[in-house]
Amino acid sequence: MATIDVFSYDVPAEYDFGYAQAIRSGELIHVSGQLSFDEAGELLHPGDFAAQLDQTHANMDRILDHYGATRKQIVSQTLYLVNLRQNAAATMEANLRYFGDHRPASTVLGIIELALPGQVVEISCVIDTKLPA
């Protein structure tokens, strides 16, 4: 029987929208869209794409740490970007820095806006804990 492990930052949005930051079912961890927020759930760096991307990756690392996983176990990611063409180069550079020589499947979507005013990036992913760390 598979066990389910839910991860929460315990921020208001999780209760307001009724979701988990991540949920583990068996060997897979499904990570909800991560964004640039602090411990209280407040958006950091409104409108600053590079700073938001760095903080979003830091928040993803918190989830990886919770599950004892590494970036090398991320098998796919979906990135939602405001002003895709303007931010494409910064996204590519940050992605290479974050993953190093690991190459997960990746989808990048350019969108008009995200949930919070000033939010310009959101990233979700799937982690396979059976893969070598």
Side-chain angles (χ1 to χ4, degrees), residues 1-127:
M1 176 183 225
T3 59
I4 294 178
D5 178 7
V6 175
F7 175 77
S8 172
Y9 291 124
D10 202 30
V11 296
E14 294 169 355
Y15 303 100
D16 295 343
F17 289 98
Y19 74 98
Q21 295 293 335
I23 186 166
R24 179 181 188 154
S25 179
E27 302 301 327
L28 293 179
I29 302 165
H30 299 270
V31 180
S32 292
Q34 295 299 293
L35 53 128
S36 177
F37 59 85
D38 62 14
E39 302 286 332
E42 297 297 320
L43 181 71
L44 298 173
H45 319 294
D48 184 334
F49 185 81
Q52 282 192 32
L53 195 52
D54 287 345
Q55 184 61 48
T56 299
H57 280 144
N59 287 344
M60 289 181 64
D61 284 342
R62 289 175 54 200
I63 292 172
L64 290 168
D65 289 345
H66 170 80
Y67 289 105
T70 71
R71 297 172 185 179
K72 291 186 180 289
Q73 293 170 305
I74 296 175
V75 293
S76 68
Q77 67 171 350
T78 303
L79 296 90
Y80 303 89
L81 310 177
V82 175
N83 298 319
L84 172 62
R85 287 183 179 79
Q86 175 185 334
N87 295 312
T91 301
M92 288 184 284
E93 291 169 11
N95 201 57
L96 291 172
R97 264 194 326 273
Y98 187 73
F99 287 108
D101 62 356
H102 177 59
R103 299 289 182 263
S106 185
T107 300
V108 180
L109 302 166
I111 59 172
I112 294 172
E113 64 183 358
L114 287 160
L116 302 175
Q119 181 187 355
V120 293
V121 63
E122 188 164 324
I123 304 172
S124 63
C125 70
V126 175
I127 303 161

